[in-house]
């Protein structure tokens, strides 16, 4: 068991951990596919999204809006249709509408009673600002890909957190769904991590490439973390 009492800061991945991005992605892409007469299984679409997103995020930094346009370009080529400019913007334009998981907002409110809450996300500042309206929480810090000019699983988000938060590494608990994006780099830096292993259309990986990591604690949702902390 992890002694949650020793931590002062909780750092969170956002999309997949706090935000139901599987539903958001599929809701955004669905009308485009229907318009072009394309039928595809949900888990296959998410697999392709994870593949292409990882490829573009591993390249030299571009804003996340551009990453999402490139992912739509790749999906169109893979599935055999010619996208319009509106099609290419569908994912990026939808991010602010992606819903929180049903337990997210209440759990964050409870956790905020004891901990400083920090976001470490592969997102642009303006896009996260739209998401934050749905979360309804004032985070103590927000570290984005736009700020560090790279995407997880590169370690820059975590280095930035260690520098900016002004506390010892042992006081930071990283909370995330993605083994690939979050637990692999966080554990490599010696951070303690909680795997929020939510139900997924792609069990075990979610919207990410397969990866091997050893989180310190596994929970099914964020509410369980609040309960484990006695909140």
């Amino acid at each position: 068991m992890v002694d949650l009492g020793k931590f002062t800061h909780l750092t969170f991945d956002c999309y997949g951990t706090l935000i139901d991005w599987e539903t958001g992605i599929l809701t955004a892409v669905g009308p485009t596919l229907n318009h072009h007469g394309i039928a595809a299984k949900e888990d296959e679409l998410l697999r392709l999204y994870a593949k292409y997103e990882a490829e573009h995020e591993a390249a030299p930094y571009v804003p996340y809006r551009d990453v999402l346009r490139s992912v739509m370009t790749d999906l169109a080529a893979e599935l055999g249709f010619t996208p319009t400019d509106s099609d290419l913007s569908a994912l990026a334009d939808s991010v602010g509408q992606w819903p929180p998981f049903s337990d997210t907002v209440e759990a964050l409110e409870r956790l905020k009673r004891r901990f400083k809450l920090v976001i470490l996300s592969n997102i642009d500042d303006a896009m996260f600002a739209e998401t934050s309206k749905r979360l309804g929480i004032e985070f103590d810090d927000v570290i984005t890909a736009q700020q560090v000019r790279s995407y997880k699983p590169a370690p820059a988000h975590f280095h930035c957190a260690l520098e900016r938060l002004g506390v010892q590494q042992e006081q930071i608990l990283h909370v995330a769904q993605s083994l690939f994006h979050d637990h692999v780099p966080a554990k490599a830096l010696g951070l303690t991590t909680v795997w929020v292993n939510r139900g997924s259309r792609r069990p075990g990986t979610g919207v990410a490439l397969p990866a091997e990591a050893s989180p310190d604690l596994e929970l099914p949702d964020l509410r369980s973390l609040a309960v484990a902390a006695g909140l």
Side-chain angles (χ1 to χ4, degrees):
M1 288 294 294
V2 174
D3 177 10
L4 298 179
K6 71 177 185 178
F7 299 102
T8 59
H9 290 65
L10 304 182
T11 55
F12 292 92
D13 167 61
C14 184
Y15 302 93
T17 304
L18 308 180
I19 294 292
D20 182 359
W21 71 335
E22 292 187 10
T23 295
I25 291 165
L26 294 170
T27 300
V29 174
T32 293
L33 299 186
N34 290 337
H35 176 75
H36 291 281
I38 303 296
K41 294 181 179 180
E42 289 184 342
D43 61 341
E44 178 63 9
L45 280 174
L46 295 174
R47 184 191 70 80
L48 291 172
Y49 179 101
K51 173 179 181 289
Y52 294 130
E53 185 197 54
E55 289 177 359
H56 291 292
E57 289 182 342
Y61 174 80
V62 297
Y64 192 58
R65 176 170 288 275
D66 294 340
V67 169
L68 292 180
R69 284 182 64 89
S70 296
V71 169
M72 284 298 297
T73 299
D74 293 338
L75 285 174
E78 178 83 24
L79 298 174
F81 67 92
T82 301
T84 65
D85 188 66
S86 177
D87 294 337
L88 295 178
S89 297
L91 274 171
D93 289 345
S94 74
V95 170
Q97 303 304 311
W98 294 358
F101 290 104
S102 61
D103 66 309
T104 292
V105 173
E106 180 185 1
L108 288 175
E109 290 171 347
R110 291 161 65 182
L111 291 165
K112 192 170 176 61
R113 297 172 194 166
R114 179 182 300 172
F115 304 101
K116 300 289 188 182
L117 307 185
V118 179
I119 292 290
L120 308 185
S121 181
N122 283 352
I123 195 70
D124 297 348
D125 291 346
M127 297 171 85
F128 180 75
E130 293 302 308
T131 292
S132 69
K133 297 174 185 177
R134 292 183 167 267
L135 296 173
I137 293 290
E138 184 176 350
F139 291 93
D140 294 279
D141 208 338
V142 175
I143 297 171
T144 66
Q146 181 179 358
Q147 295 169 28
V148 301
R149 310 294 289 182
S150 74
Y151 292 96
K152 297 178 292 180
H157 285 79
F158 300 97
H159 287 306
C160 183
L162 291 168
E163 292 169 4
R164 276 179 24 185
L165 300 185
V167 296
Q168 296 297 311
Q169 177 176 306
E170 292 75 18
Q171 294 174 254
I172 299 172
L173 179 66
H174 188 59
V175 183
Q177 182 275 329
S178 176
L179 297 177
F180 171 77
H181 294 99
D182 288 87
H183 292 277
V184 169
K187 294 306 298 178
L189 292 174
L191 290 167
T192 304
T193 69
V194 175
W195 183 21
V196 182
N197 188 13
R198 293 185 178 278
S200 171
R201 296 165 179 86
R202 302 186 69 235
T205 62
V207 189
L209 299 183
E212 294 292 332
S214 298
D216 298 279
L217 179 64
E218 178 181 345
L219 296 170
D221 52 36
L222 206 62
R223 181 181 292 111
S224 299
L225 180 60
V227 171
L231 296 168

